[in-house]
Amino acid sequence: MLKVPDHQVAGHKGRDGMPGPLVDDSGHFYKPLQDDDRGSNEVAFYKSFSSNTEIPDLVRRFFPIFYGTQLIEAADGSGLHPHLVLQDFVSSHLNPSIMDIKIGSRTWPPQASEDYIQTCLKRDRHTTSIALGFMISGLQVRGSQESETWKPDKKLVKKFTAKDVRLVLRKFVSTNTSVDTGMDPDCSLASTVYGGSAGILAQLLELKKWFEGQTIYHFYSCSVIMVYDKESVVKERNSGAEVKLVDFAHVSEGKGVIDHNFLGGLCSLIKFITEILTSSDEYEEAKASLQDPKKNCNCTD
């Protein structure tokens, strides 16, 4: 049984007669191939990446497993459409909080037409892509109640400023501001979700290490997906946080040159998350100090 994904936060959801992505109950994600070169480019990337023996296993885990392609009947009766069959990594999370972050200040590949470049520039000037080297494309944050989810509208997300990005990255790991309220995010989950040896920051740093040396591919308009389970953090202090890279329609050959565009955006994201961890650690230390009667006792013997 194929069905529409419950947790898609960005990307195409099916429009203008084109099918949207689908998932099944076996952990597969079916992504429709675009009719132009973007579809064939993405298939070519997955085939190249899957067979490339130079890719370390530590890096492969950041990419969805590729199971090939498949023709699937469109729900609108328009016939069979080719789909990528990929790992549905979100399916392993019961009630996930997810963020899709498009990396790079330049979002078009070298072979792009002038018209496409101008379209990208027009869009990017109204987002944080140029200023920060990345932009948030979509997100959902689970609340303390199972029925509570903050999932801002796509139009609102596109208008995020650098200040908004800082706030949203904090709200992503908070328990008190999952819905859009005026409360200051407590970042109480930051040390578990962002920090630690298996947290999001450690995974991003592992990716950064690879991008500092890899010259095989250049990734344009590619996204970092961050996902975790809030309930697991609250109950078990274990988020199961994952980082994945998705969307490879604009990958080009590296030709022996480091991908500075992607690396720069990744470093910028790492800086934002590091600042949140630092500030949350300082907050917790101050809170602990205030709650310690010995440190707050002004009386004499």
Side-chain angles (χ1 to χ4, degrees):
M1 291 291 292
L2 299 178
K3 55 188 177 182
V4 176
D6 291 330
H7 308 301
Q8 185 180 358
V9 297
H12 301 295
K13 299 184 180 181
R15 62 171 185 255
D16 301 329
M18 288 297 295
L22 300 165
V23 295
D24 63 20
D25 293 326
S26 301
H28 297 126
F29 181 88
Y30 300 83
K31 179 180 180 179
L33 289 180
Q34 299 177 78
D35 292 334
D36 53 24
D37 290 343
R38 288 174 291 181
S40 57
N41 286 345
E42 190 154 25
V43 173
F45 166 76
Y46 272 110
K47 288 182 176 179
S48 168
F49 184 85
S50 299
S51 61
N52 195 324
T53 56
E54 295 181 41
I55 309 297
D57 289 340
L58 278 175
V59 171
R60 287 190 185 279
R61 70 189 179 102
F62 295 115
F63 292 76
I65 299 170
F66 173 58
Y67 297 106
T69 60
Q70 184 174 327
L71 290 173
I72 297 176
E73 182 73 37
D76 61 3
S78 59
L80 294 171
H81 289 271
H83 287 64
L84 281 168
V85 186
L86 305 169
Q87 172 195 10
D88 179 17
F89 56 87
V90 178
S91 65
S92 61
H93 299 267
L94 186 60
N95 291 302
S97 290
I98 309 169
M99 191 178 298
D100 181 308
I101 303 173
K102 193 177 294 293
I103 303 293
S105 56
R106 171 176 166 174
T107 58
W108 63 91
Q111 67 273 20
S113 66
E114 185 59 33
D115 287 344
Y116 186 75
I117 293 173
Q118 291 306 316
T119 298
C120 292
L121 276 173
K122 183 179 179 181
R123 177 197 62 210
D124 295 344
R125 288 192 184 106
H126 293 88
T127 71
T128 61
S129 289
I130 295 175
L132 301 182
F134 69 89
M135 64 166 284
I136 296 175
S137 297
L139 73 150
Q140 72 175 28
V141 183
R142 293 297 189 183
S144 53
Q145 303 297 323
E146 188 174 330
S147 60
E148 187 182 46
T149 301
W150 181 51
K151 192 173 184 177
D153 181 79
K154 191 174 182 179
K155 291 181 180 179
L156 175 63
V157 174
K158 283 184 175 181
K159 296 178 181 178
F160 281 169
T161 63
K163 183 179 179 181
D164 295 327
V165 167
R166 285 190 176 88
L167 179 63
V168 169
L169 286 170
R170 294 178 68 212
K171 292 179 75 168
F172 190 62
V173 290
S174 295
T175 57
N176 66 333
T177 51
S178 56
V179 294
D180 196 12
T181 69
M183 296 177 66
D184 186 36
D186 58 26
C187 295
S188 60
L189 309 180
S191 60
T192 304
V193 177
Y194 286 153
S197 60
I200 284 175
L201 179 59
Q203 295 179 57
L204 292 176
L205 288 171
E206 191 69 43
L207 263 179
K208 172 177 173 284
K209 184 178 179 181
W210 183 62
F211 272 95
E212 286 174 335
Q214 81 87 16
T215 60
I216 308 168
Y217 306 107
H218 283 190
F219 295 84
Y220 297 97
S221 201
C222 169
S223 287
V224 162
I225 303 290
M226 307 190 307
V227 56
Y228 79 96
D229 288 305
K230 182 169 287 187
E231 289 183 11
S232 297
V233 181
V234 174
K235 295 178 181 179
E236 305 169 20
R237 302 305 297 176
N238 177 21
S239 65
E242 284 189 273
V243 170
K244 296 286 186 182
L245 298 186
V246 299
D247 297 338
F248 307 113
H250 298 294
V251 175
S252 63
E253 292 183 16
K255 298 180 180 179
V257 179
I258 289 174
D259 186 357
H260 291 287
N261 179 62
F262 190 95
L263 179 59
L266 186 61
C267 288
S268 179
L269 175 60
I270 287 171
K271 181 175 181 290
F272 271 71
I273 291 177
T274 300
E275 288 174 351
I276 292 171
L277 274 172
T278 303
S279 61
S280 63
D281 286 345
E282 291 172 352
Y283 169 79
E284 289 299 326
E285 288 176 8
K287 182 179 176 182
S289 177
L290 288 171
Q291 292 174 345
D292 187 339
K294 293 181 180 179
K295 291 185 179 181
N296 289 287
C297 182
N298 294 319
C299 39
T300 57
D301 292 334

